[in-house]
């Protein structure tokens, strides 16, 4: 019997917070068992040659949507397959009750096991869930969700107090299927999350086991005004019009509201998908104004790389909207300076038939998980000089730390899950839907040439993706955090 199950030979290991080192890595029973200068190939059942390649920890795609527009098991099978293409081995999906997803409400005590069961057996990556308490009863479930169900992160959508997902209806209550979904509700959630975190910290061992609230920051009352103005001006059917109708000012004001409440309740918060230079500036100001607040920031691949003047049609409709080229550069500056804590995809498979040619009914969102490492390598490492270990922190280690997965996920440390991706840093490919292995039939990134691609992705010590194809069967398991 071989000493190791898999040997990754002759590669350069990229270690978050440390740097890069030339070494071999061996796995046994799903975990990293050894790192050494020259581990004999004969000691392993299978050898993966990584000569001339970089070995990153498997990506933790921390902003994801399974089952928002299609059945959970379909999305799990097709979209987590795409995650492997991008080097991600763990996905954390947002889930809420109300319209879309399961189109009903009720206690998470009943709904969460149903959701986990629907994804289990179909996911190619390990998976977990952030949950959104949509009504007061669900707020009361927060302690049990933390203690008994391994859910350590929650969400509040600030614009839902005035709009539905597409922003074509103001019947928010019918959409959320909730009671009062306002700042008072947000304050209640923050109190519950902060209390759960205080109780959990002594048992779980510190800040890497944090209980937190993630925030979609857009201010609904201002959205109402700007949407009315855009529609009155002739209702242009463009992505720029959508950005004008939900401008960066709505992010700035919402960030101010949310972080004020977070400081008052001592609730750790994550500001999701900052889409503009103005939003990033507001987050920076909040950190200065509330130095004791545990505040972390996220940007997405599409807000880093796409702008509304270059994208035709409505395939790129997303919340918050795609912004200007100046905003993309401001966000990259935040990545390079360390003001941005992690990068995610906000992956939500949405077919062309759900986009159409009318701006307001078009459903928001699109896929991007298959580009998680490639975009950071191409646009970050090659184009802007981002160090490989910083790429690993942004894609893997930092989200793992924020959401209670470190060091089991996000590291290349002996004794922890053998999740990794082997990258050819000089492989250049043109983005296409076929390349990304998603169920989505369009891609706003299509046609972009990207340099630096995973050639193999390993989940818990076994190869799950290699040379453009998945290997074996889906083996993803639920991540209790």
């Amino acid at each position: 019997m071989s000493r190791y199950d898999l040997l990754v030979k002759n590669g350069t290991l990229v270690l978050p917070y440390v740097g890069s080192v030339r070494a071999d890595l061996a796995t046994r029973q799903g975990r990293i068992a050894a790192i050494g200068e020259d581990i004999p190939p004969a000691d392993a059942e299978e050898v993966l040659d990584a000569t001339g390649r970089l070995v990153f920890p498997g990506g933790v795609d921390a902003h994801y949507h399974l089952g928002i527009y299609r059945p959970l098991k379909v999305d799990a099978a097709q979209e987590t397959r795409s995650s492997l293409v991008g080097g991600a081995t763990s996905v954390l999906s947002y889930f809420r009750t109300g319209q879309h997803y399961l189109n009903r409400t009720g206690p998470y005590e009943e709904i969460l096991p149903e959701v986990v069961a629907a994804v289990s057996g179909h996911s190619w990556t390990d998976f977990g869930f952030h949950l959104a308490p949509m009504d007061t009863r669900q707020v009361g479930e927060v302690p049990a969700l933390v203690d008994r169900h391994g859910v350590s992160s929650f969400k509040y959508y600030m614009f839902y107090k005035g709009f539905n997902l597409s922003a074509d209806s103001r019947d928010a209550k019918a959409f959320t299927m909730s009671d009062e979904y306002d700042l008072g509700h947000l304050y209640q959630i923050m109190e519950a999350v902060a209390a759960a975190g205080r109780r959990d910290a002594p048992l779980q061992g510190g800040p890497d086991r944090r209980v937190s609230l993630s925030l979609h920051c857009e201010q609904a009352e201002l959205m109402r005004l700007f949407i009315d103005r855009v529609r009155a001006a002739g209702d242009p059917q463009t992505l720029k019009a959508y950005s004008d109708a939900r401008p960066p000012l709505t992010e700035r004001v919402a960030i101010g509201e949310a972080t004020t409440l977070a400081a008052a309740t001592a609730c750790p918060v994550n500001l999701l998908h900052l889409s503009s230079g103005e939003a990033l500036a507001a987050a920076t100001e909040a950190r200065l104004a509330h130095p004791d607040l545990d505040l972390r920031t996220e940007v997405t691949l599409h807000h880093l790389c796409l702008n509304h003047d270059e994208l035709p049609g409505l395939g790129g409709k997303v919340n918050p909207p795609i912004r200007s080229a100046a905003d993309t550069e401001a966000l990259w500056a935040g990545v390079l300076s360390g003001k941005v804590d992690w990068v995610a995809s906000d992956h939500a498979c949405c077919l062309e038939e759900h986009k159409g040619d009318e701006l307001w009914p078009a459903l928001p969102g699109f896929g991007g998980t298959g580009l998680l490492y490639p975009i950071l390598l191409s646009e970050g490492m090659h184009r802007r000089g981002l160090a490989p270990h910083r790429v690993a922190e942004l894609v893997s280690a930092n989200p793992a730390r924020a959401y209670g997965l470190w060091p089991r996920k996000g590291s290349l440390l002996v004794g922890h899950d053998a999740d990794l991706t082997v990258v050819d840093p000089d492989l250049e490919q043109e983005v296409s839907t076929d390349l990304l292995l998603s169920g989505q039939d369009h891609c706003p990134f299509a046609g972009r040439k990207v340099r630096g691609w995973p050639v193999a992705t390993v989940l818990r010590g076994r190869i799950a993706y290699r040379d453009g194809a998945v290997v074996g069967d889906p083996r993803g398991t639920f991540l209790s955090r």
Side-chain angles (χ1 to χ4, degrees):
M1 180 179 291
S2 299
R3 184 178 181 186
Y4 303 117
D5 300 324
L6 177 68
L7 172 62
V8 182
K9 184 77 177 165
N10 298 322
T12 297
L13 306 187
V14 181
L15 307 176
Y17 317 116
V18 177
S20 300
V21 60
R22 169 49 202 98
D24 298 339
L25 181 151
T27 78
R28 183 172 56 244
Q29 295 181 344
R31 298 190 176 188
I32 297 172
I35 293 175
E37 186 174 347
D38 190 13
I39 299 174
D43 285 357
E45 182 178 327
E46 185 174 11
V47 177
L48 182 56
D49 184 11
T51 303
R53 292 168 176 173
L54 301 175
V55 182
F56 285 90
V60 177
D61 196 346
H63 195 146
Y64 212 95
H65 297 276
L66 286 171
I68 188 169
Y69 299 132
R70 304 190 301 167
L72 279 160
K73 67 180 181 179
V74 174
D75 257 4
Q78 296 186 355
E79 305 316 305
T80 61
R81 179 180 63 191
S82 184
S83 297
L84 296 177
V85 178
T89 51
S90 299
V91 304
L92 295 176
S93 182
Y94 286 95
F95 187 86
R96 58 164 173 75
T97 54
Q99 289 184 19
H100 299 297
Y101 299 103
L102 298 180
N103 294 303
R104 73 173 198 264
T105 190
Y108 279 121
E109 179 73 28
E110 298 174 5
I111 290 176
L112 180 60
E114 178 182 338
V115 170
V116 173
V119 175
S120 297
H122 302 283
S123 180
W124 291 89
T125 66
D126 286 347
F127 62 93
F129 291 97
H130 318 274
L131 297 180
M134 303 302 291
D135 58 32
T136 302
R137 178 177 55 180
Q138 291 175 352
V139 174
E141 291 188 88
V142 166
L145 290 169
V146 173
D147 293 342
R148 296 205 299 269
H149 295 280
V151 175
S152 63
S153 47
F154 301 86
K155 186 174 183 180
Y156 180 80
Y157 304 78
M158 296 189 74
F159 76 94
Y160 278 176
K161 66 178 178 176
F163 289 90
N164 69 348
L165 186 60
S166 298
D168 65 340
S169 169
R170 293 178 186 168
D171 189 357
K173 279 196 174 183
F175 176 75
T176 59
M177 300 182 186
S178 67
D179 43 28
E180 295 300 324
Y181 196 80
D182 55 12
L183 290 183
H185 183 67
L186 172 57
Y187 192 84
Q188 283 186 308
I189 297 173
M190 286 182 170
E191 288 180 315
V193 169
R198 286 192 296 269
R199 186 185 67 253
D200 194 54
L203 300 175
Q204 297 293 343
D208 292 337
R209 302 294 184 181
R210 68 198 279 263
V211 181
S212 66
L213 180 66
S214 294
L215 296 157
H216 181 132
C217 292
E218 290 182 282
Q219 215 277 347
E221 287 89 343
L222 288 174
M223 280 175 53
R224 175 191 58 76
L225 174 66
F226 292 123
I227 287 173
D228 286 348
R229 286 181 176 178
V230 166
R231 302 194 78 159
D235 209 11
Q237 307 295 300
T238 66
L239 295 180
K240 183 180 185 306
Y242 197 57
S243 179
D244 291 343
R246 306 172 73 141
L249 178 61
T250 68
E251 288 186 278
R252 176 182 281 279
V253 173
I255 288 168
E257 290 179 330
T259 54
T260 298
L261 298 183
T265 56
C267 178
V269 291
N270 315 300
L271 302 182
L272 302 182
H273 45 41
L274 300 177
S275 73
S276 60
E278 194 167 344
L280 182 59
T284 302
E285 291 165 6
R287 278 176 163 155
L288 292 173
H290 308 292
D292 295 328
L293 177 62
D294 180 353
L295 185 161
R296 308 193 193 185
T297 55
E298 169 193 281
V299 298
T300 69
L301 299 174
H302 47 273
H303 288 125
L304 282 173
C305 296
L306 303 176
N307 70 77
H308 53 50
D309 293 324
E310 294 180 349
L311 288 178
L314 301 177
K317 181 179 176 181
V318 67
N319 301 333
I322 299 295
R323 305 295 189 190
S324 69
D327 285 309
T328 66
E329 289 308 312
L331 294 176
W332 272 116
V335 169
L336 295 172
S337 69
K339 291 179 180 178
V340 171
D341 291 304
W342 65 83
V343 178
S345 72
D346 195 0
H347 187 93
C349 179
C350 185
L351 303 178
E352 275 193 301
E353 66 181 281
H354 296 134
K355 295 291 187 181
D357 55 8
E358 294 184 51
L359 177 59
W360 300 106
L363 293 178
F366 48 80
T369 189
L371 295 167
L372 195 55
Y373 265 119
I375 289 291
L376 265 294
L377 293 166
S378 188
E379 295 292 321
M381 186 178 78
H382 287 304
R383 185 176 175 188
R384 294 175 173 86
L386 198 63
H389 74 276
R390 283 285 294 128
V391 173
E393 291 160 21
L394 289 160
V395 173
S396 186
N398 287 352
R401 293 183 78 108
Y403 292 120
L405 291 172
W406 175 272
R408 175 186 172 191
K409 306 291 187 183
S411 74
L412 292 179
L413 297 175
V414 171
H416 295 289
D417 285 3
D419 292 352
L420 56 94
T421 188
V422 178
V423 168
D424 183 339
D426 294 314
L427 176 61
E428 185 174 273
Q429 300 194 86
E430 184 175 303
V431 177
S432 68
T433 53
D434 290 341
L435 179 67
L436 298 180
L437 300 185
S438 165
Q440 188 166 277
D441 53 4
H442 69 101
C443 176
F445 292 91
R448 179 185 290 262
K449 287 193 170 119
V450 174
R451 180 183 171 202
W453 284 88
V455 293
T457 300
V458 174
L459 174 65
R460 284 181 278 107
R462 289 169 54 186
I463 296 172
Y465 166 84
R466 189 173 195 172
D467 297 330
V470 291
V471 178
D473 298 312
R475 297 188 298 108
T477 60
F478 175 67
L479 293 167
S480 179
R481 299 174 286 126

